[in-house]
């Protein structure tokens, strides 16, 4: 009797948590951009950098576990700019 092996790709191995974090991150970054582009949110509104920070952190979590260092650097930079914007909003 021969054993049958099932080939599982990386997407199937990835946890649901990481996939959800990736989608949440993508959603918030696109939401911030879209709302700003159509004039519903200004870059000076606190909600704009908050949405970008949520997006950067959520996407960054998934990217970290995928070990995609160039994209992680992008999310780190994106989040850092958002944090600076939030701080400047309250100063």
């Amino acid at each position: 009797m021969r054993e049958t092996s099932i080939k599982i790709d990386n997407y199937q191995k990835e946890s649901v948590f990481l996939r959800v974090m990736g989608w949440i991150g993508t959603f918030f970054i696109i939401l911030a951009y879209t709302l700003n582009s159509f004039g519903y949110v200004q870059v000076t509104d606190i909600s704009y950098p908050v949405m970008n920070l949520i997006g950067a952190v959520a996407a960054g979590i998934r990217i970290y576990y995928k070990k995609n260092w160039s994209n992680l650097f992008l999310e780190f930079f994106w989040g850092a700019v958002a944090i600076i914007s939030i701080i400047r909003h309250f100063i």
Side-chain angles (χ1 to χ4, degrees), residues 2 7 10-12 14 21 25 40-41 43-44 52 58 61 63 65 69 72-73 77 80-81:
R2 203 166 82 171
K7 192 173 187 179
N10 286 336
Y11 183 77
Q12 290 173 324
E14 190 175 63
M21 292 307 287
Y40 294 107
V41 172
V43 294
T44 55
N52 277 303
I61 290 169
I63 291 167
Y65 283 100
W69 306 123
L72 185 61
F73 177 76
F77 184 79
V81 169

Side-chain angles (χ1 to χ4, degrees), residues 56-67:
V57 169
I61 290 169
R62 180 170 190 237
I63 291 167
Y64 173 79
Y65 283 100
K66 297 290 275 181
K67 299 192 182 346

